[in-house]
Amino acid sequence: MIAALAFYLFAAILIASAVMVVTARNPVHSVLFLILAFFNAAALFLIAGAEFLAMILVIVYVGAVAVLFLFVVMMLDIDFARLREGFQRYAPVGAVVGGILFLELVLVLGSWTFADQADDLRLSPNPGATVTNAEAIGRILYTDYVYLFQASGLILLVAMIGAIVLTHRERPGTRRQDIGAQVSRTGSISMEKVSTGAGIKALGIRRPPEPEAEAPKVTHDSGHGHGGHH
């Protein structure tokens, strides 16, 4: 009874927060509602007995992805009013794409069939086993699917290296710090104590003389009067 009430409570909050993610005008509020949706989904996983998925959802999605979304939205100065200007222009294309995705979901759910033991195993995610859910997933992941797991790790490694290379690529006209040239410099650097108020002249450094102001040119009239020679 308590588990059923908790399930409906978390499910209702999850649906409401998911709707607010889409309908909220402020993108920061959308990300906060997304974090709330992740927490409630993790609670539903705990009720279903999948504690590993609940832990991954909180650590990865809430602790990394959602926080990254929040920082990006808050740091970037995005003109959302300008982005909404072309909504009506692209609304038909979006409606077509949304309709295609909806039809695909209908086809997938229409061909779904439940196993004969589904009713008996619905409340027993790990029946008759002496290991926990996380240990069972680990055994399957690192035995039957170990090669696929290593391949996914290599793909993520290549993506990370590509992002680093694109970030640190050489651009013409940029000035970078050359640590090797600084370390291998020749000569010595000395420090001298200069009395207060002496200025740079005490070190023998003199400023270039300031250019003298040119005297204004005075033009003289060669005539004896305003009319010149008579």
Side-chain angles (χ1 to χ4, degrees), residues 94-110:
V96 172
V97 174
I100 294 173
L101 293 176
F102 179 75
L103 291 178
E104 290 179 354
L105 290 175
V106 170
L107 293 176
V108 170
L109 295 177

Side-chain angles (χ1 to χ4, degrees), residues 46-131:
L46 285 177
I47 294 175
E51 65 274 4
F52 178 77
L53 294 179
M55 179 181 62
I56 291 298
L57 189 63
V58 172
I59 294 176
V60 176
Y61 284 92
V62 177
V65 177
V67 175
L68 179 63
F69 287 167
L70 185 61
F71 274 98
V72 169
V73 170
M74 294 179 66
M75 290 176 63
L76 295 181
D77 188 12
I78 302 175
D79 189 1
F80 294 97
R82 184 177 180 182
L83 292 177
R84 296 190 185 97
E85 290 179 356
F87 176 76
Q88 295 180 354
R89 184 189 308 173
Y90 299 105
V93 179
V96 172
V97 174
I100 294 173
L101 293 176
F102 179 75
L103 291 178
E104 290 179 354
L105 290 175
V106 170
L107 293 176
V108 170
L109 295 177
S111 60
W112 184 273
T113 57
F114 291 95
D116 298 334
Q117 299 86 7
D119 295 334
D120 297 334
L121 301 178
R122 183 168 56 89
L123 298 178
S124 300
N126 196 11
T130 58
V131 297

Side-chain angles (χ1 to χ4, degrees), residues 153-167:
L154 289 176
I155 293 173
L156 293 176
L157 177 62
V158 171
M160 182 179 65
I161 295 174
I164 295 174
V165 170
L166 291 176
T167 304

